Amino acid sequence: MRTIARNEIGRLLDGLLAGYAVYAPVRRKGILVFDRIRSGDEAILDYANTRTSPKHVLMPQMETLLSSCGEDPGVSEHTDCGKPAVLFGARPCDARAFLFLDKVLRDGQSRDVYYANRRDSLLVISIGCTQPRETCFCTTTGGGPLSAEGSDILLEDLGSVYLAHVASSRGAEFAAAHGLLDTCEGEPPGSGTVNGGLQPAIEPPVDLGLLKAALDRSFDDPLWLTLAEKCLGCGICSYLCPACHCFDIVDEEAAGVRVRNRVWDSCQFSCFTAQASGFNPRPTGRERYRQRIMHKFNYCIDNHGMAGCVGCGRCVSECPVNLDMRQVLAAFGGRRGGN
Amino acid sequence: MTDCTARIREETARLLAEGRVDLVIGFEEGSLPLRATPCFITEPGDTGRLIWNAFCSNNLARYLIRSDRKVGIVAKGCDTRAIVELIKEKQVRREDVVIIGVPCHGMVDPHEVRERFGDIRIQTVEDTGGKLVAGDGTALLSMNREDALHRSCRVCVQRNPVISDVLVGEEVEERTRDEFTDVADFASRSAGERWEYIAGEMSRCIRCNACRNACPLCYCSKCFVDETRPQWVGRGTDPSDVLSFHLMRVLHLAGRCVECGACVRACPMGVDLGTLNRRMSADVARMFGCRPGLDPGKPAPLSTFDPDDPQDFMLEP
Ligand code: SF4
Ligand code: SF4
Ligand code: SF4
């Protein structure tokens, strides 16, 4: 069985920097985020998860789609995504979110060329978790601390060494090219567990199938009136979420250059559904919060065969009023037979 | 159960039973260690959910805005300062709120506790005799309560409720009025250095609006950043847009910000909004002799004219 020593990782990343843009967990003013690194030893290996998700690697918070200049009637499309990239150290939940984003933005009815180009030139090396946080619920949504879905290579953390599991053909090519030979194929056994399957990872508090069926009947449920009463309507949950992907398109002009930008947007904002007529079909926080839950746990399952949540727990840990989505899900999912 | 918890439950049950209010807004146990969470009690039978501890840090005055019900509200010093301003600004009618005032020893910042105890997986925190004792199920570790307070609580000048209908718990001794010493260093730096610092902080902002939405005085029914016809401020993370948002917000809060720190606590990115706000509050205090929320009888400095108002900005630019 071939392993990579923990203290070899820096050198491995240094080797990649010549050919790839490398993203890894780094600390920026005390906050862990994924960012470009310039040297392998910048990457932080001991961490639970980053504050923001790595989705910005594929879908930056603000990106220019089109631009035109001065009198020139021509429009340039900004579809070139530059150097191929490696995302190193993603947690399995975040890698699994890419699988979800692929379904929505690349492989479904409409192909988002900006996303797809970045995705096709990104290699994902994730690191399995040994110590899930109190907010983690990946196993509820179909993933697990050793799930390899969405990753090209999954590193299983064995303490001083990592065992590399190759999870895609691109991962296999990459492993061969970088001397990670003799790696294991496929997912490690018991991907929903930690410590080699000895101990079940996280108790799933909700059954997704049951929840989906309950939500199908709950659009007008009075529970929506009370569950989200304390919600402030900010965008923390959407913006930290690795799976949220809604955006706004804005046209701007500066110094004679006109640009069409895409920026993240959130269904929790009142202007998200405000129509030009002045009408807003989701006038209050309660409709907006319902949309967030329904979209993730009902409509996404219908449309993409997968929930729009991977259980990373960011929205749980960072919500300023501790509106814990797991409790909301339990309130619906727990009610067998429902009304 | 602390005395305050018991008293809050008792008063809530009484207010609901007497029909004086339709609901009481207070705190209940959060879903995570080191967290309490806002709760809305309408049934006397539910009062057992209410708690009072070191993590009741949200400014509940936020929830009074555009409420059409008679509300009982559990309020610390800073929360009552916000209520005072909301009443002055005619957003809340005094007769529609019953204030259950709670003298406050300062609220504890979970990040500080985690930082201090690093590796242990905290399950419980006891708050006794100026100490916080955190436990992970096996070991117990303790730290000074004062060292774990939110920044706004460390410089708070009004820990007792400014106004209340029922007072729960013993009054606490107020700290001596600070002279904004926490922002003195910032104020003494050159314009270039200040710019660099603020720009650096703003570079982490993700435009989630949590600061605005947590703020009890940010109640505009249409905020300028939500204005799209035409767009006032770009919605992305262009540094000029981020800065425009924050500068316009802080200026709109001049003479109104009650220094509660709700915005800072809500921010998921640790952006130092405190320095910007406190610096502005320091100017308001110096120029108009006003600390918002402390004096229910005093008109808001920026919406009234006084011949003695400082005018040097016009005469001597
Ligand atoms: S909804 Fe919350 S827990 Fe689920 S993926 Fe998004 S941030 Fe993570
Ligand atoms: S700006 Fe911040 S400190 Fe001032 S009142 Fe609003 S939330 Fe409180
Ligand atoms: S809460 Fe923080 S990240 Fe969100 S908009 Fe305010 S400053 Fe920016």
mmCIF file of all heavy atoms in Angstrom, chain A residues 297-327:
data_model
loop_
_atom_site.group_PDB
_atom_site.id
_atom_site.type_symbol
_atom_site.label_atom_id
_atom_site.label_comp_id
_atom_site.label_asym_id
_atom_site.label_seq_id
_atom_site.Cartn_x
_atom_site.Cartn_y
_atom_site.Cartn_z
ATOM 1 N N PHE A 297 -34.002 20.782 -0.735
ATOM 2 C CA PHE A 297 -34.401 19.446 -0.304
ATOM 3 C C PHE A 297 -35.619 18.900 -1.030
ATOM 4 O O PHE A 297 -36.085 17.826 -0.724
ATOM 5 C CB PHE A 297 -34.617 19.436 1.214
ATOM 6 C CG PHE A 297 -33.352 19.713 1.964
ATOM 7 C CD1 PHE A 297 -33.059 20.988 2.412
ATOM 8 C CD2 PHE A 297 -32.426 18.704 2.174
ATOM 9 C CE1 PHE A 297 -31.868 21.257 3.070
ATOM 10 C CE2 PHE A 297 -31.239 18.956 2.831
ATOM 11 C CZ PHE A 297 -30.951 20.242 3.280
ATOM 12 N N ASN A 298 -36.142 19.691 -1.958
ATOM 13 C CA ASN A 298 -37.282 19.208 -2.706
ATOM 14 C C ASN A 298 -37.036 19.373 -4.206
ATOM 15 O O ASN A 298 -36.832 18.394 -4.923
ATOM 16 C CB ASN A 298 -38.550 19.956 -2.250
ATOM 17 C CG ASN A 298 -39.825 19.305 -2.741
ATOM 18 O OD1 ASN A 298 -39.773 18.328 -3.465
ATOM 19 N ND2 ASN A 298 -40.960 19.855 -2.372
ATOM 20 N N TYR A 299 -36.955 20.624 -4.669
ATOM 21 C CA TYR A 299 -36.849 20.845 -6.116
ATOM 22 C C TYR A 299 -35.557 20.262 -6.695
ATOM 23 O O TYR A 299 -35.559 19.718 -7.797
ATOM 24 C CB TYR A 299 -36.935 22.336 -6.452
ATOM 25 C CG TYR A 299 -38.038 23.094 -5.734
ATOM 26 C CD1 TYR A 299 -37.872 24.427 -5.384
ATOM 27 C CD2 TYR A 299 -39.253 22.472 -5.416
ATOM 28 C CE1 TYR A 299 -38.870 25.129 -4.728
ATOM 29 C CE2 TYR A 299 -40.252 23.171 -4.749
ATOM 30 C CZ TYR A 299 -40.056 24.501 -4.398
ATOM 31 O OH TYR A 299 -41.027 25.188 -3.737
ATOM 32 N N CYS A 300 -34.459 20.392 -5.974
ATOM 33 C CA CYS A 300 -33.195 19.869 -6.511
ATOM 34 C C CYS A 300 -33.237 18.356 -6.655
ATOM 35 O O CYS A 300 -32.653 17.793 -7.581
ATOM 36 C CB CYS A 300 -32.013 20.267 -5.622
ATOM 37 S SG CYS A 300 -31.489 21.953 -5.919
ATOM 38 N N ILE A 301 -33.911 17.708 -5.735
ATOM 39 C CA ILE A 301 -34.004 16.255 -5.829
ATOM 40 C C ILE A 301 -34.841 15.889 -7.058
ATOM 41 O O ILE A 301 -34.500 14.986 -7.822
ATOM 42 C CB ILE A 301 -34.577 15.659 -4.523
ATOM 43 C CG1 ILE A 301 -33.573 15.916 -3.391
ATOM 44 C CG2 ILE A 301 -34.877 14.169 -4.676
ATOM 45 C CD1 ILE A 301 -34.015 15.493 -2.009
ATOM 46 N N ASP A 302 -35.935 16.635 -7.293
ATOM 47 C CA ASP A 302 -36.736 16.412 -8.502
ATOM 48 C C ASP A 302 -35.924 16.680 -9.771
ATOM 49 O O ASP A 302 -35.956 15.918 -10.718
ATOM 50 C CB ASP A 302 -37.952 17.364 -8.521
ATOM 51 C CG ASP A 302 -39.066 16.877 -7.600
ATOM 52 O OD1 ASP A 302 -39.100 15.658 -7.303
ATOM 53 O OD2 ASP A 302 -39.883 17.711 -7.173
ATOM 54 N N ASN A 303 -35.211 17.788 -9.777
ATOM 55 C CA ASN A 303 -34.567 18.224 -11.018
ATOM 56 C C ASN A 303 -33.201 17.612 -11.269
ATOM 57 O O ASN A 303 -32.789 17.464 -12.414
ATOM 58 C CB ASN A 303 -34.419 19.756 -11.023
ATOM 59 C CG ASN A 303 -35.771 20.446 -11.015
ATOM 60 O OD1 ASN A 303 -36.768 19.866 -11.428
ATOM 61 N ND2 ASN A 303 -35.813 21.669 -10.520
ATOM 62 N N HIS A 304 -32.480 17.304 -10.213
ATOM 63 C CA HIS A 304 -31.107 16.836 -10.412
ATOM 64 C C HIS A 304 -30.825 15.512 -9.713
ATOM 65 O O HIS A 304 -29.692 15.037 -9.708
ATOM 66 C CB HIS A 304 -30.114 17.892 -9.912
ATOM 67 C CG HIS A 304 -30.390 19.268 -10.441
ATOM 68 N ND1 HIS A 304 -30.261 19.574 -11.775
ATOM 69 C CD2 HIS A 304 -30.821 20.397 -9.829
ATOM 70 C CE1 HIS A 304 -30.589 20.858 -11.955
ATOM 71 N NE2 HIS A 304 -30.946 21.370 -10.792
ATOM 72 N N GLY A 305 -31.805 14.968 -9.056
ATOM 73 C CA GLY A 305 -31.611 13.678 -8.395
ATOM 74 C C GLY A 305 -30.680 13.749 -7.193
ATOM 75 O O GLY A 305 -30.127 12.743 -6.759
ATOM 76 N N MET A 306 -30.482 14.948 -6.677
ATOM 77 C CA MET A 306 -29.548 15.102 -5.564
ATOM 78 C C MET A 306 -29.938 16.344 -4.773
ATOM 79 O O MET A 306 -30.322 17.356 -5.366
ATOM 80 C CB MET A 306 -28.146 15.290 -6.159
ATOM 81 C CG MET A 306 -27.037 15.409 -5.151
ATOM 82 S SD MET A 306 -25.435 15.556 -6.028
ATOM 83 C CE MET A 306 -24.370 15.869 -4.625
ATOM 84 N N ALA A 307 -29.850 16.272 -3.458
ATOM 85 C CA ALA A 307 -30.184 17.451 -2.654
ATOM 86 C C ALA A 307 -29.158 18.548 -2.912
ATOM 87 O O ALA A 307 -28.002 18.266 -3.209
ATOM 88 C CB ALA A 307 -30.206 17.091 -1.169
ATOM 89 N N GLY A 308 -29.589 19.780 -2.772
ATOM 90 C CA GLY A 308 -28.681 20.913 -2.967
ATOM 91 C C GLY A 308 -27.973 21.298 -1.691
ATOM 92 O O GLY A 308 -27.671 22.474 -1.469
ATOM 93 N N CYS A 309 -27.714 20.327 -0.854
ATOM 94 C CA CYS A 309 -26.995 20.543 0.409
ATOM 95 C C CYS A 309 -26.104 19.336 0.627
ATOM 96 O O CYS A 309 -26.531 18.205 0.413
ATOM 97 C CB CYS A 309 -27.980 20.678 1.570
ATOM 98 S SG CYS A 309 -27.222 20.518 3.210
ATOM 99 N N VAL A 310 -24.868 19.585 1.023
ATOM 100 C CA VAL A 310 -23.945 18.476 1.269
ATOM 101 C C VAL A 310 -23.611 18.340 2.754
ATOM 102 O O VAL A 310 -22.733 17.571 3.123
ATOM 103 C CB VAL A 310 -22.655 18.640 0.438
ATOM 104 C CG1 VAL A 310 -22.975 18.478 -1.041
ATOM 105 C CG2 VAL A 310 -21.985 19.977 0.707
ATOM 106 N N GLY A 311 -24.304 19.117 3.585
ATOM 107 C CA GLY A 311 -24.138 18.946 5.027
ATOM 108 C C GLY A 311 -22.818 19.442 5.592
ATOM 109 O O GLY A 311 -22.353 18.949 6.612
ATOM 110 N N CYS A 312 -22.242 20.464 4.953
ATOM 111 C CA CYS A 312 -20.953 20.984 5.448
ATOM 112 C C CYS A 312 -21.120 21.721 6.774
ATOM 113 O O CYS A 312 -20.160 21.893 7.513
ATOM 114 C CB CYS A 312 -20.315 21.908 4.420
ATOM 115 S SG CYS A 312 -21.149 23.512 4.273
ATOM 116 N N GLY A 313 -22.343 22.203 7.028
ATOM 117 C CA GLY A 313 -22.608 22.844 8.316
ATOM 118 C C GLY A 313 -22.206 24.304 8.414
ATOM 119 O O GLY A 313 -22.322 24.908 9.479
ATOM 120 N N ARG A 314 -21.751 24.912 7.327
ATOM 121 C CA ARG A 314 -21.333 26.329 7.419
ATOM 122 C C ARG A 314 -22.506 27.227 7.790
ATOM 123 O O ARG A 314 -22.383 28.127 8.616
ATOM 124 C CB ARG A 314 -20.733 26.796 6.092
ATOM 125 C CG ARG A 314 -19.349 26.239 5.824
ATOM 126 C CD ARG A 314 -18.763 26.850 4.569
ATOM 127 N NE ARG A 314 -17.423 26.353 4.307
ATOM 128 C CZ ARG A 314 -17.162 25.254 3.619
ATOM 129 N NH1 ARG A 314 -18.137 24.522 3.123
ATOM 130 N NH2 ARG A 314 -15.919 24.865 3.430
ATOM 131 N N CYS A 315 -23.655 26.980 7.167
ATOM 132 C CA CYS A 315 -24.809 27.836 7.458
ATOM 133 C C CYS A 315 -25.273 27.624 8.900
ATOM 134 O O CYS A 315 -25.883 28.502 9.490
ATOM 135 C CB CYS A 315 -25.945 27.555 6.478
ATOM 136 S SG CYS A 315 -26.540 25.855 6.523
ATOM 137 N N VAL A 316 -24.953 26.445 9.437
ATOM 138 C CA VAL A 316 -25.336 26.178 10.824
ATOM 139 C C VAL A 316 -24.404 26.922 11.772
ATOM 140 O O VAL A 316 -24.839 27.616 12.687
ATOM 141 C CB VAL A 316 -25.287 24.657 11.116
ATOM 142 C CG1 VAL A 316 -25.586 24.390 12.588
ATOM 143 C CG2 VAL A 316 -26.237 23.897 10.216
ATOM 144 N N SER A 317 -23.109 26.829 11.520
ATOM 145 C CA SER A 317 -22.181 27.420 12.486
ATOM 146 C C SER A 317 -22.116 28.936 12.371
ATOM 147 O O SER A 317 -21.853 29.609 13.352
ATOM 148 C CB SER A 317 -20.782 26.821 12.341
ATOM 149 O OG SER A 317 -20.267 27.078 11.062
ATOM 150 N N GLU A 318 -22.355 29.502 11.198
ATOM 151 C CA GLU A 318 -22.165 30.941 11.044
ATOM 152 C C GLU A 318 -23.444 31.762 11.112
ATOM 153 O O GLU A 318 -23.392 32.987 11.063
ATOM 154 C CB GLU A 318 -21.424 31.247 9.745
ATOM 155 C CG GLU A 318 -20.014 30.664 9.680
ATOM 156 C CD GLU A 318 -19.156 30.987 10.896
ATOM 157 O OE1 GLU A 318 -19.213 32.139 11.364
ATOM 158 O OE2 GLU A 318 -18.468 30.086 11.398
ATOM 159 N N CYS A 319 -24.583 31.146 11.194
ATOM 160 C CA CYS A 319 -25.826 31.922 11.265
ATOM 161 C C CYS A 319 -25.806 32.816 12.506
ATOM 162 O O CYS A 319 -25.627 32.336 13.619
ATOM 163 C CB CYS A 319 -27.043 30.997 11.329
ATOM 164 S SG CYS A 319 -28.568 31.933 11.565
ATOM 165 N N PRO A 320 -25.996 34.128 12.328
ATOM 166 C CA PRO A 320 -25.891 35.032 13.481
ATOM 167 C C PRO A 320 -26.987 34.837 14.521
ATOM 168 O O PRO A 320 -26.829 35.272 15.657
ATOM 169 C CB PRO A 320 -25.984 36.433 12.868
ATOM 170 C CG PRO A 320 -26.250 36.281 11.431
ATOM 171 C CD PRO A 320 -26.227 34.835 11.062
ATOM 172 N N VAL A 321 -28.098 34.193 14.144
ATOM 173 C CA VAL A 321 -29.145 33.973 15.140
ATOM 174 C C VAL A 321 -29.330 32.481 15.436
ATOM 175 O O VAL A 321 -30.324 32.084 16.023
ATOM 176 C CB VAL A 321 -30.493 34.614 14.722
ATOM 177 C CG1 VAL A 321 -30.368 36.129 14.712
ATOM 178 C CG2 VAL A 321 -30.956 34.111 13.368
ATOM 179 N N ASN A 322 -28.333 31.676 15.020
ATOM 180 C CA ASN A 322 -28.379 30.238 15.300
ATOM 181 C C ASN A 322 -29.676 29.590 14.796
ATOM 182 O O ASN A 322 -30.324 28.812 15.484
ATOM 183 C CB ASN A 322 -28.177 29.994 16.813
ATOM 184 C CG ASN A 322 -28.119 28.519 17.198
ATOM 185 O OD1 ASN A 322 -28.743 28.104 18.169
ATOM 186 N ND2 ASN A 322 -27.409 27.717 16.443
ATOM 187 N N LEU A 323 -30.077 29.971 13.585
ATOM 188 C CA LEU A 323 -31.194 29.275 12.943
ATOM 189 C C LEU A 323 -30.582 28.021 12.327
ATOM 190 O O LEU A 323 -29.967 28.068 11.271
ATOM 191 C CB LEU A 323 -31.840 30.177 11.880
ATOM 192 C CG LEU A 323 -32.963 29.590 11.027
ATOM 193 C CD1 LEU A 323 -34.031 28.936 11.876
ATOM 194 C CD2 LEU A 323 -33.597 30.679 10.176
ATOM 195 N N ASP A 324 -30.707 26.918 13.018
ATOM 196 C CA ASP A 324 -30.022 25.679 12.654
ATOM 197 C C ASP A 324 -30.896 24.891 11.684
ATOM 198 O O ASP A 324 -31.942 24.366 12.053
ATOM 199 C CB ASP A 324 -29.753 24.873 13.934
ATOM 200 C CG ASP A 324 -28.877 23.653 13.686
ATOM 201 O OD1 ASP A 324 -28.917 23.099 12.572
ATOM 202 O OD2 ASP A 324 -28.165 23.250 14.631
ATOM 203 N N MET A 325 -30.423 24.817 10.436
ATOM 204 C CA MET A 325 -31.225 24.169 9.403
ATOM 205 C C MET A 325 -31.577 22.726 9.759
ATOM 206 O O MET A 325 -32.621 22.223 9.369
ATOM 207 C CB MET A 325 -30.458 24.217 8.083
ATOM 208 C CG MET A 325 -31.295 23.880 6.897
ATOM 209 S SD MET A 325 -30.414 24.212 5.375
ATOM 210 C CE MET A 325 -29.180 22.952 5.452
ATOM 211 N N ARG A 326 -30.731 22.082 10.526
ATOM 212 C CA ARG A 326 -31.016 20.689 10.884
ATOM 213 C C ARG A 326 -32.290 20.585 11.710
ATOM 214 O O ARG A 326 -33.036 19.620 11.599
ATOM 215 C CB ARG A 326 -29.829 20.100 11.660
ATOM 216 C CG ARG A 326 -28.561 20.047 10.822
ATOM 217 C CD ARG A 326 -27.369 19.674 11.650
ATOM 218 N NE ARG A 326 -27.166 20.596 12.774
ATOM 219 C CZ ARG A 326 -26.211 20.461 13.674
ATOM 220 N NH1 ARG A 326 -25.379 19.442 13.608
ATOM 221 N NH2 ARG A 326 -26.084 21.327 14.656
ATOM 222 N N GLN A 327 -32.531 21.604 12.531
ATOM 223 C CA GLN A 327 -33.765 21.583 13.329
ATOM 224 C C GLN A 327 -34.982 21.816 12.441
ATOM 225 O O GLN A 327 -36.046 21.243 12.664
ATOM 226 C CB GLN A 327 -33.712 22.656 14.417
ATOM 227 C CG GLN A 327 -32.652 22.370 15.466
ATOM 228 C CD GLN A 327 -32.575 23.464 16.522
ATOM 229 O OE1 GLN A 327 -32.741 24.636 16.222
ATOM 230 N NE2 GLN A 327 -32.303 23.066 17.760
#
